[in-house]
């Protein structure tokens, strides 16, 4: 039986659909597939299916022709989510795709893949919820042993490509950079951005420890502080401000779009964050990031790139995705360990500005 790459070598696809609806970090980790697809098939029409709130990460890219944004609805099964799935499936069924690549690997995304009616439907061999049975070809890249970005590279290899260093280009526009420049104008350098929120309580490092690192940055380097987060992170950001006392901080919680946040990260010196989507967005924007990993394995889902580092409380393979609501044990990661990662990056920023 011919391999997938042999089939595609004989019959290059004219229309390709990438399915990766969510979440923010997962979509960012999947972005490197786009330049690889363009290198493989320069004339192909490439589309991407994504949850509506994340469409700005994809629109306006030179290597993507169309974005199908759909209403994902709340977590779990809901009438709204079912309606959104039905609408996008009807739309995909009319498109006559030649190749579909499902990078999500769940039942919902597999149903979308089937709806495309593409003769070649590619997914990961360890896809969950029975999704793997919707594919014509499966790629082996075990999530328990391979980083999320490298899993995408395995898919590219199966398609016939020779992946290069992953490219995480974001469509950050001049207006986004201008906004970030204005927002940071009064913030002293070096600038330390603090992202204290995370959807899972078990991924949230203690607020007082964030404050301790921030105080050290101010005392040793005269750093300017910036707080970011989604609107729902407001209680945590308010707690941070109380913990900082009189230390000044620019509060941008709930005030940034995805691309403005990426621009803000690019213009800052260090981005300190829990294991959450904005951390990966900042890394993709080229920021120097320090990720705090209290439950998950950074070898599998950590910030990716030469300017990224993770401080982890677990050895490889010891992380658990079943402890979303259990608070982080306070003795796992102390401020000293995080400061040891933050300090040299602030020092380099001060040295480069001298």
């Amino acid at each position: 039986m011919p391999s997938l790459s042999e089939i595609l070598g004989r019959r290059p696809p004219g229309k390709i659909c990438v399915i990766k609806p969510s979440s923010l970090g997962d979509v960012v980790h999947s972005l490197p597939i786009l330049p690889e697809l363009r290198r493989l098939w320069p004339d192909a029409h490439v589309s991407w299916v994504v949850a509506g709130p994340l469409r700005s990460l994809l629109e306006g890219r030179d290597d993507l022709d169309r974005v199908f944004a759909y209403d994902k609805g709340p977590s779990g099964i809901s009438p709204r989510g079912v309606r959104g799935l039905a609408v996008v499936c009807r739309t995909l069924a009319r498109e006559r795709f030649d190749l579909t690549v499902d990078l999500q690997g769940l039942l919902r995304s597999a149903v979308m893949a089937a709806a495309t009616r593409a003769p070649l439907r590619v997914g990961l061999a360890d896809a969950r919820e029975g999704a793997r049975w919707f594919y014509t070809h499966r790629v082996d890249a075990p999530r328990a042993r391979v980083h999320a970005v490298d899993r995408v590279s395995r898919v590219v290899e199966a398609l016939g490509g020779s992946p290069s260093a992953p490219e995480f280009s974001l469509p950050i526009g001049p207006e986004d950079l201008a906004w970030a420049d204005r927002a940071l104008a009064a913030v002293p350098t070096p600038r330390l951005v603090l992202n204290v929120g995370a959807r899972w309580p078990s991924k949230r490092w203690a607020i007082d420890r964030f404050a301790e690192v921030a105080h050290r940055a101010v005392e040793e380097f005269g750093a300017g502080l910036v707080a970011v987060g989604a609107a729902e992170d407001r209680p945590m950001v308010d707690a941070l401000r109380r913990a900082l006392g009189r230390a000044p901080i620019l509060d941008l919680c709930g005030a940034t779009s995805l691309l403005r946040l990426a621009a803000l990260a690019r213009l800052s010196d260090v981005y300190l964050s829990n294991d959450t989507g904005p951390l990966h967005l900042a890394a993709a924007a080229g920021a120097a990031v320090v990720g705090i990993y209290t439950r998950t394995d950074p070898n599998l889902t950590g910030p990716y790139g030469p300017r990224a580092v993770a401080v982890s409380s677990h050895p490889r393979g010891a992380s658990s995705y079943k402890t979303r609501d259990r608070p982080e044990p306070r003795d796992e990661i102390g401020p000293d360990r995080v400061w040891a990662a933050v300090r040299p990056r602030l020092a380099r920023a001060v040295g480069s500005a001298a």
Side-chain angles (χ1 to χ4, degrees):
M1 179 181 293
S3 67
L4 176 62
S5 61
E6 290 171 338
I7 295 172
L8 291 168
R10 292 197 299 262
R11 191 173 67 241
K15 291 188 71 174
I16 304 171
C17 182
V18 177
I19 300 176
K20 187 67 170 180
S22 59
S23 56
L24 173 56
D26 293 340
V27 171
V28 170
H29 281 158
S30 300
L31 290 176
I33 198 173
L34 289 175
E36 298 292 351
L37 291 176
R38 190 58 75 200
R39 277 190 280 270
L40 276 169
W41 302 292
D43 299 322
H45 184 281
V46 182
S47 300
W48 190 305
V49 181
V50 72
L54 303 179
R55 66 185 303 165
S56 63
L57 298 180
L58 298 166
E59 291 178 327
R61 295 179 59 104
D62 294 335
D63 49 14
L64 186 62
D65 299 289
R66 185 172 180 182
V67 176
F68 293 97
Y70 87 106
D71 187 355
K72 177 176 175 287
S75 298
I77 299 174
S78 68
R80 180 176 146 195
V82 171
R83 285 194 299 272
L85 178 61
V87 169
V88 76
C89 283
R90 284 197 296 269
T91 302
L92 294 173
R94 296 193 291 264
E95 293 297 316
R96 298 184 180 273
F97 289 103
D98 303 305
L99 169 66
T100 295
V101 180
D102 177 13
L103 297 176
Q104 194 80 32
L106 296 174
L107 178 59
R108 178 181 58 205
S109 60
V111 169
M112 294 180 195
T116 66
R117 303 181 184 179
L120 298 175
R121 299 184 302 278
V122 182
L124 292 160
D126 62 353
R128 293 168 288 178
E129 301 175 352
R132 62 194 301 271
W133 301 111
F134 289 76
Y135 310 142
T136 62
H137 295 78
R138 305 177 188 101
V139 179
D140 185 36
R143 73 181 65 246
R145 297 197 300 272
V146 181
H147 191 282
V149 175
D150 298 324
R151 280 160 60 85
V152 174
S153 295
R154 294 272 188 97
V155 172
V156 171
E157 290 173 352
L159 296 175
S162 300
S164 53
E167 300 175 34
F168 295 93
S169 59
L170 298 170
I172 301 172
E175 65 281 0
D176 301 309
L177 289 168
W179 176 89
D181 193 51
R182 290 193 301 271
L184 294 172
V187 179
T189 57
R191 294 161 177 158
L192 173 63
V193 178
L194 304 164
N195 183 26
V196 298
R199 182 177 301 175
W200 299 3
S202 60
K203 288 185 176 183
R204 297 174 191 161
W205 198 45
I207 296 294
D208 60 339
R209 296 186 175 187
F210 270 104
E212 172 64 23
V213 171
H215 276 302
R216 295 185 190 188
V218 172
E219 291 167 3
E220 183 167 348
F221 296 102
L225 306 178
V226 183
V228 296
E232 57 266 29
D233 295 328
R234 170 51 57 194
M236 287 171 279
V237 171
D238 287 345
L240 174 67
R241 294 180 65 178
R242 290 192 296 271
L244 287 172
R246 295 185 178 181
I249 185 168
L250 174 63
D251 185 351
L252 294 177
C253 179
T256 60
S257 65
L258 290 178
L259 294 181
R260 284 185 173 184
L261 180 60
L264 188 81
R266 181 178 292 180
L267 296 182
S268 299
D269 296 297
V270 181
Y271 191 100
L272 176 63
S273 174
N274 290 317
D275 169 21
T276 186
L279 170 67
H280 305 294
L281 183 68
V289 302
V290 177
I292 303 172
Y293 277 66
T294 61
R295 277 288 175 266
T296 46
D297 187 348
N299 292 290
L300 304 179
T301 59
Y304 203 95
R307 304 192 73 204
V309 67
V311 181
S312 174
S313 60
H314 289 274
R316 184 178 177 87
S319 58
S320 172
Y321 288 86
K322 299 179 181 179
T323 56
R324 300 186 181 198
D325 300 319
R326 191 166 69 201
E328 177 248 336
R330 295 177 62 85
D331 61 348
E332 285 190 348
I333 301 177
D336 288 346
R337 287 189 60 200
V338 175
W339 179 241
V342 170
R343 187 184 182 282
R345 286 160 176 78
L346 291 174
R348 280 196 292 271
V350 170
S352 63

